[in-house]
Amino acid sequence: MDGLWKRVRHEKADDSSSSGSQTDSSVGPAPGGAPAAPKNIGIFSATAMGISLMIGSGIFSTPASVLRLVGTPAMALVLWALGAVISFGGGMAFIELGLMYRRNGGTMRFLAHAFPKPKLLAAYLFAWVMVVCIRPGAIAANGPVIGKYWLYAAGVKDDGGWKSRGIGFGCITFVTGINILSARWSLRLINLLTVVKIVVILIIVITGIVAAAGGIDIEHNDNWSRGFRGTSNDARAYSSALTKVFWAYDGFTNLVYSLGELRRPERNLPWSIGSAVGIVGFLYIMANVAFFLVVPFDVAVGSDEILAAEFTFRVFGTSVGKIALPVFIGLSVLGAICAQTYGVSRLLDSANEVGFVPYGRRICGNNRRLGTPVNSLVIGYALTMLYLLAPPPGKVFDLLVDFVQWSTWLFYGLAAAGAIVLRFTKPSHPLRTFRAFHPLNGLFILFCIYITVFPFVPPKGGDHDVPYPFYLSPLLGLLTTLAGIVPWYFRLTWWPKKTGVSLVRWIEDEDTADTRAGAGGGSGSRGPSGDEERAADGDAQVGALVHGVPAKTDSS
């Protein structure tokens, strides 16, 4: 007991050392003077972080399933376009929030400011599920996907699933190592693989159009001439189809977890998120047009996850369709893992900074020599390995990684609702330089409600095709989210009562920093150059106040 109390007193001293000062270390660098994150992210890398996570295996594996569910290529195209519009509405909300709170952590900070009561519960639960299940589960799910495609290209069978996991293990380890060694090289890898993704999809789009124009000898079909004849009217089918569409669009929020490293956020954040959604939406729509120009309807609906391979087989022949394309799809998924790893490590580091994790302030911040959040990357890697290696192969593994989607859309919708709440609770926020369009934001919120409620509705004809109940996956997501209430209570309620240390004061400190930053640009400037100067000065004030050092000001 004496040893335990000594550790408690040690942590109390660690926490309370910041509570009495004007610059709370909960929003600054780690104790010990770990350097603040450098501004590594420019507009190209910022856009690539969104595109790289959005374009994974989804566009190559889901179009056939969407077609089968809705009945016609025309209606499938409508859903893909609707996905772009709704994602853009959500993206606008995250742009508004990101410019108001320009620090690493993103959605965690947005929820803390929008819903501070009771004791930052919404923000804590988001950080909990994001770090404990959403990102580790998603990375662990993507790892074996790379293995499956590369083994397929090599002509190797993987009946047990462990070969795919082995390749996934190697890829995740490689990506984590790059992130530990260099943030700049991590971003360069994301940029490179993003270019690869875009080139692959552009090749599909261009060759599909050339084939339809008669430049390539293919079998002609009536996919587009049939219009909407035969379109499904089953509401459950549309819900499943939309879930698959939005799984492919997920990722446009990835940049917000690294906002503290973004250069010129007033320009780069709107352009990067807007461009990511716009570019991906256009590529997805045109890729579907190309798929259905080349692949006949009966073949397409039965191709499941290999529609893209069927397309390239018909256009280029066996070598490209069965070897080259799977290799590039594996690289596409590898890019998604790179973006996921970079973003979640910054979120975990921010959760440590603000005191959500016991003793977290001792391990947060960038390593002095490497300039990367090494501790957060190692913790995230260990959690990912649990998801990758612990579950047995087969449907049990699929179930454990599928449930992460439920919590993802729950907190996406809650954050978008927070943008509306903050418009009323903080109408004059000094850093709100962008305003989301409420009707589009509302459409995004409605979709998030729909996608979190509808999975609990029984499917027609029962759930005999799967070895577990239909509600088990969303139920696991719900239970995992609610499980976070236990550590939240002990950390943000019991611990402060016992020690007298406030773990919510950082909200007030950040509001003070934002107010000073908004007022720091002066009032006499006019024109574009004056706006840019005020933005740069405001960003400098925010960075200085957040990291606990005085901002430089012009003495004149």
Side-chain angles (χ1 to χ4, degrees):
M1 288 299 293
D2 289 342
L4 174 62
W5 181 242
K6 286 180 180 179
R7 289 195 299 273
V8 169
R9 285 189 297 175
H10 196 175
E11 183 181 357
K12 177 180 176 180
D14 178 49
D15 287 337
S16 62
S17 64
S18 65
S19 63
S21 64
Q22 289 185 351
T23 53
D24 188 348
S25 66
S26 66
V27 293
K39 299 283 186 178
N40 289 317
I41 304 176
I43 189 168
F44 185 84
S45 294
T47 306
M49 288 181 72
I51 294 176
S52 190
L53 187 50
M54 294 170 76
I55 304 178
S57 62
I59 187 57
F60 303 107
S61 61
T62 60
S65 300
V66 173
L67 175 64
R68 184 171 59 252
L69 288 164
V70 300
T72 58
M75 181 53 70
L77 205 63
V78 169
L79 293 192
W80 285 100
L82 182 63
V85 172
I86 294 177
S87 296
F88 189 74
M92 291 177 70
F94 279 85
I95 292 170
E96 177 175 336
L97 292 166
L99 290 175
M100 292 170 66
Y101 306 106
R102 308 173 184 188
R103 304 165 178 87
N104 283 358
T107 306
M108 181 193 76
R109 295 189 188 272
F110 306 160
L111 292 172
H113 286 274
F115 307 105
K117 296 180 180 179
K119 293 189 179 296
L120 310 184
L121 176 61
Y124 188 95
L125 290 182
F126 169 76
W128 163 264
V129 295
M130 192 73 172
V131 171
V132 172
C133 74
I134 291 178
R135 277 295 181 261
I139 295 172
N142 279 329
V145 171
I146 300 174
K148 288 177 183 178
Y149 278 108
W150 287 355
L151 289 172
Y152 176 80
V156 177
K157 292 185 178 182
D158 185 20
D159 298 330
W162 287 106
K163 293 179 182 177
S164 298
R165 288 205 211 185
I167 293 176
F169 172 84
C171 290
I172 295 169
T173 302
F174 167 74
V175 168
T176 304
I178 293 292
N179 273 268
I180 288 174
L181 293 175
S182 172
R184 291 184 181 275
W185 279 103
S186 300
L187 292 171
R188 287 169 182 165
L189 182 60
I190 292 172
N191 294 345
L192 174 63
L193 294 176
T194 300
V195 172
V196 170
K197 296 167 189 268
I198 293 176
V199 169
V200 170
I201 297 182
L202 282 177
I203 290 173
I204 290 174
V205 170
I206 293 170
T207 53
I209 294 173
V210 171
I216 301 174
D217 186 20
I218 60 168
E219 175 187 355
H220 291 283
N221 59 68
D222 65 344
N223 285 348
W224 295 115
S225 62
R226 69 172 61 198
F228 291 93
R229 297 192 309 272
T231 299
S232 172
N233 59 3
D234 183 358
R236 175 78 190 190
Y238 282 94
S239 113
S240 298
L242 281 172
T243 300
K244 296 180 183 301
V245 167
F246 278 91
W247 177 62
Y249 275 105
D250 182 20
F252 61 87
T253 65
N254 192 50
L255 175 61
V256 302
Y257 306 117
S258 310
L259 284 175
E261 302 173 35
L262 179 65
R263 297 194 293 266
R264 299 184 64 188
E266 287 197 343
R267 183 199 69 170
N268 292 345
L269 183 61
W271 275 104
S272 58
I273 291 183
S275 298
V277 175
I279 291 170
V280 170
F282 171 78
L283 291 175
Y284 281 1
I285 292 170
M286 294 306 298
N288 274 271
V289 170
F291 289 151
F292 301 132
L293 281 171
V294 172
V295 183
F297 180 84
D298 293 339
V299 176
V301 295
S303 60
D304 291 326
E305 297 182 356
I306 58 171
L307 176 59
E310 182 68 34
F311 170 89
T312 51
F313 170 72
R314 288 173 176 269
V315 173
F316 296 108
T318 303
S319 60
V320 174
K322 292 188 176 181
I323 299 176
L325 181 69
V327 170
F328 281 108
I329 292 177
L331 289 174
S332 176
V333 181
L334 180 64
I337 290 178
C338 292
Q340 289 169 326
T341 302
Y342 195 100
V344 74
S345 64
R346 273 61 182 177
L347 171 62
L348 176 56
D349 204 58
S350 296
N352 285 327
E353 271 187 276
V354 300
F356 279 2
V357 182
Y359 304 101
R361 290 171 180 165
R362 299 185 191 175
I363 64 173
C364 69
N366 288 339
N367 180 274
R368 282 182 171 276
R369 186 168 63 88
L370 300 174
T372 58
V374 174
N375 294 322
S376 295
L377 284 162
V378 170
I379 293 171
Y381 177 78
L383 290 171
T384 301
M385 289 300 107
L386 288 177
Y387 282 88
L388 179 69
L389 302 176
K395 293 295 183 180
V396 175
F397 178 82
D398 295 337
L399 171 67
L400 290 177
V401 296
D402 282 346
F403 80 90
V404 303
Q405 283 295 310
W406 189 88
S407 298
T408 299
W409 292 104
L410 170 68
F411 286 104
Y412 276 4
L414 197 59
I420 297 176
V421 170
L422 287 168
R423 194 79 68 85
F424 292 97
T425 58
K426 299 180 182 179
S428 302
H429 193 283
L431 295 179
R432 183 187 280 114
T433 55
F434 180 94
R435 290 176 177 265
F437 184 51
H438 275 172
L440 273 181
N441 188 18
L443 182 63
F444 178 78
I445 295 169
L446 288 176
F447 168 77
C448 290
I449 294 172
Y450 171 76
I451 206 171
T452 52
V453 171
F454 209 90
F456 291 99
V457 177
K460 290 183 178 179
D463 52 358
H464 305 296
D465 295 334
V466 292
Y468 47 82
F470 70 92
Y471 56 80
L472 187 56
S473 180
L475 181 61
L476 283 174
L478 173 62
L479 293 177
T480 303
T481 303
L482 294 178
I485 294 177
V486 176
W488 165 81
Y489 170 78
F490 282 104
R491 185 59 182 164
L492 270 72
T493 301
W494 177 83
W495 176 256
K497 285 182 179 179
K498 185 176 183 63
T499 63
V501 174
S502 174
L503 293 176
V504 300
R505 178 173 172 178
W506 61 273
I507 294 291
E508 179 183 344
D509 291 336
E510 287 190 355
D511 285 336
T512 301
D514 293 338
T515 300
R516 293 179 183 176
S523 59
S525 301
R526 293 290 185 270
S529 60
D531 291 341
E532 188 170 311
E533 183 179 341
R534 286 197 301 274
D537 187 34
D539 292 341
Q541 295 267 357
V542 169
L545 288 164
V546 166
H547 294 294
V549 295
K552 293 182 179 180
T553 57
D554 187 353
S555 60
S556 62

